[in-house]
């Protein structure tokens, strides 16, 4: 598996739009190194929803397990195991061979889940799917990366055609642990009302679906 470690910090500024965040980054000398992408993820959890509970309870060490792909390209699936301790994130990524049936994604995913050794040896279930648009940004000195996530939506695995839209727009900064002091100095120069938030797409999606009676 490919592995990386970084610090992630998420911010919002109340009701706003994507253009606000883009302007915010541009005037601070951020640029777009490559094109936007559509990001799709399938999230797993234990049958007792231990990953969800750890996040809600604010446990310092927690993890997420998901399958991810981009731009609706069903030939680029990756398995990701993401561990987080406070703001420090470690992510292991491995490309997987997922035989996709175009007319029945749920069936294809179910078959993969039942036949993959990783899931056969663990107590996991498939919970939900998320989808959103992501734009990528990089500071001129290349020490800080940023992403803007918009158009977030979610569906329960039991019925992927049931789609709920989630209005939040999230700005996230990502950087190596050795640049922590650099980021803190950068953040001190900001006078824009930005505030750090605790935001998990998985947790937010779970509650939206549960409140709508779509989580069994």
């Amino acid at each position: 598996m490919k592995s990386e470690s970084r610090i992630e910090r998420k911010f919002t500024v109340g009701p706003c739009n994507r253009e606000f965040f883009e302007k915010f980054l541009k005037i601070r000398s951020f640029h777009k190194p490559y094109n936007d992408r559509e990001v799709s993820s399938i999230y797993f959890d234990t049958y007792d929803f231990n990953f969800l509970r750890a996040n809600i309870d604010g446990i310092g060490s927690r993890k997420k397990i998901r399958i991810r792909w981009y731009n609706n390209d069903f030939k680029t699936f990756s398995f990701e195991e993401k561990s987080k301790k406070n703001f420090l994130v470690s992510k292991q990524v491995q490309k997987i061979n997922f035989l996709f049936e175009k007319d029945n994604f749920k069936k294809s995913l179910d078959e993969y889940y039942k036949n993959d050794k990783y899931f056969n040896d663990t107590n996991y279930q498939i919970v939900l799917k998320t989808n959103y648009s992501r734009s990528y940004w990089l500071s001129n000195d290349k020490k800080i990366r940023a992403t803007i996530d918009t158009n977030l939506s979610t569906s329960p695995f039991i019925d992927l055609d049931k789609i709920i839209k989630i209005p939040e727009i999230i700005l996230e900064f990502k950087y190596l642990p050795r640049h922590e002091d650099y980021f803190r100095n950068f953040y001190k120069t900001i006078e824009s009302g930005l505030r750090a938030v605790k935001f998990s797409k998985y947790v937010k999606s779970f509650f939206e679906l549960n409140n709508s009676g779509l989580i069994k």
Side-chain angles (χ1 to χ4, degrees), residues 8 12 28 88 106 111 129 145 166 169 202 213:
E8 297 181 353
T12 186
R28 287 163 179 83
L88 182 63
K106 184 177 183 298
E111 287 297 317
K129 175 178 180 288
R145 291 183 290 152
I166 299 173
I169 297 176
Y202 169 58

Side-chain angles (χ1 to χ4, degrees), residues 7-81:
I7 293 176
E8 297 181 353
R9 294 184 182 274
K10 297 177 183 178
F11 293 85
T12 186
V13 70
C16 64
N17 55 33
R18 171 175 168 165
E19 287 72 25
F20 173 89
F21 282 134
E22 289 184 346
K23 182 178 179 181
F24 171 85
L25 292 172
K26 286 177 180 177
I27 64 177
R28 287 163 179 83
S29 299
F30 280 73
H31 65 279
K32 297 184 69 172
Y34 39 86
N35 295 332
D36 298 358
R37 293 195 291 185
E38 292 292 315
V39 184
S40 300
S41 301
I42 293 288
Y43 283 90
F44 298 79
D45 207 330
T46 68
Y47 284 96
D48 293 329
F49 294 105
N50 289 337
F51 299 164
L52 178 79
R53 296 178 189 275
N55 191 291
I56 295 171
D57 293 342
I59 295 175
S61 298
R62 52 191 186 271
K63 73 175 182 177
K64 294 176 184 174
I65 292 175
R66 65 195 179 202
I67 292 174
R68 174 163 286 186
W69 65 101
Y70 298 93
N71 294 332
N72 291 318
D73 180 359
F74 295 107
K75 297 179 181 178
T76 59
F77 290 95
S78 295
F79 172 82
E80 298 185 357
E81 184 170 327

Side-chain angles (χ1 to χ4, degrees), residues 173-193:
F173 291 107
K174 307 170 186 184
Y175 52 91
L176 297 177
R178 67 175 180 267
H179 293 147
E180 174 67 21
D181 289 340
Y182 180 89
F183 178 81
R184 289 181 181 274
N185 289 330
F186 163 77
Y187 183 63
K188 287 178 183 178
T189 66
I190 299 173
E191 297 180 0
S192 63

Side-chain angles (χ1 to χ4, degrees), residues 128-144:
L128 58 84
K129 175 178 180 288
T130 63
N131 193 80
Y132 55 91
S133 300
R134 168 165 284 183
S135 64
Y136 300 84
W137 299 78
L138 183 67
S139 61
N140 278 350
D141 56 19
K142 299 183 180 181
K143 291 183 178 180
I144 303 174

